[in-house]
Amino acid sequence: MIVTLIVLCEVGFWVLLAAGLATRYLLKMPRTGMALLLAEPLLEVVLLVATAIDLKNGADPSWEHGLAALYIGYTVGHGHRTVKWLDGHAAHRLGGAPPPPKPPKYGMARTRHEGRIWLGTLIGGAVATGLLLLAMAYVGDDGNTDGLRSWMYGAWRAVGIHGLIALSYLVWQKKDPGEASGTGSAVAARDPEHVADLLVRRPRKDEEQVR
């Protein structure tokens, strides 16, 4: 039942997202569209309540309950970024807004971008761990909680692996090809007011005399 509910919540997430964006930009009803977008966290609440009821009714903690905790954690950590990304593209294509800025590709800007994404994974892992600990405390010593504990370890392995990937963008920063090839101006910055004149080749005096 829990797996079916997770699938329904995932489908409902995309249905609400599409309905919210269409209402906001196609039907020109921004408040109604925003209300639909804000209703998406209710799906995670439904899944959380259903998981708690399932455990209360005597169900043994299993991989289904661990998967539900990880799904909720991922939605908390990365759901808002997904909605923001899609909203920016919908505003551009349907609402006439300028195109959303692309993520940076080089240097410290890319490092900070990857760090913010990893922070979402960290938040997701913390939320999933909190839910799993609550489930383990709810079951108590009478039930087998090894399955829930293994999901908790799995969540932090994912956080650690993603953290190493994000750290690699700091250790091995990708340089801008434009800067590496030296396409920038070679004129000294001590006389910036003369840059425009220096970049334009002026004719020499002997050339003027020939003319």
Side-chain angles (χ1 to χ4, degrees):
M1 183 189 73
I2 299 299
V3 175
T4 302
L5 192 56
I6 292 175
V7 173
L8 291 177
C9 287
E10 180 67 14
V11 173
F13 173 85
W14 291 103
V15 169
L16 279 177
L17 182 59
L21 294 177
T23 303
R24 190 174 184 183
Y25 295 109
L26 292 180
L27 301 181
K28 307 300 182 182
M29 301 170 65
R31 292 184 179 179
T32 304
M34 182 59 67
L36 291 173
L37 294 177
L38 293 177
E40 290 180 345
L42 295 178
L43 298 174
E44 279 64 53
V45 174
V46 171
L47 179 59
L48 179 61
V49 172
T51 304
I53 293 175
D54 193 41
L55 291 173
K56 185 176 181 180
N57 290 337
D60 293 330
S62 64
W63 65 272
E64 299 176 356
H65 303 97
L67 180 61
L70 259 66
Y71 175 80
I72 295 173
Y74 177 85
T75 304
V76 173
H78 292 286
H80 68 287
R81 181 174 290 107
T82 302
V83 173
K84 183 178 179 181
W85 183 81
L86 289 174
D87 182 69
H89 284 275
H92 168 57
R93 296 183 178 276
L94 303 178
K102 295 182 179 180
K105 296 182 178 180
Y106 311 108
M108 282 301 299
R110 178 61 184 267
T111 301
R112 288 189 292 268
H113 174 74
E114 296 295 333
R116 285 191 292 268
I117 296 178
W118 174 78
L119 183 60
T121 301
L122 177 63
I123 293 173
V127 171
T129 299
L131 293 176
L132 291 169
L133 289 175
L134 288 175
M136 292 165 60
Y138 183 76
V139 173
D141 298 331
D142 298 333
N144 183 10
T145 59
D146 292 341
L148 298 180
R149 200 182 305 274
S150 65
W151 278 99
M152 186 167 58
Y153 295 150
W156 287 104
R157 280 196 297 270
V159 172
I161 293 173
H162 191 183
L164 292 176
I165 295 174
L167 184 62
S168 68
Y169 286 92
L170 175 62
V171 178
W172 297 287
Q173 291 187 17
K174 190 175 181 180
K175 297 186 179 299
D176 190 342
E179 296 179 359
S181 61
T183 55
S185 173
V187 180
R190 57 186 176 85
D191 295 320
E193 68 274 11
H194 300 306
V195 169
D197 295 331
L198 292 174
L199 289 177
V200 179
R201 181 178 178 274
R202 294 180 177 178
R204 293 180 301 180
K205 291 184 178 180
D206 53 351
E207 295 178 347
E208 292 179 351
Q209 294 176 356
V210 172
R211 293 179 183 175

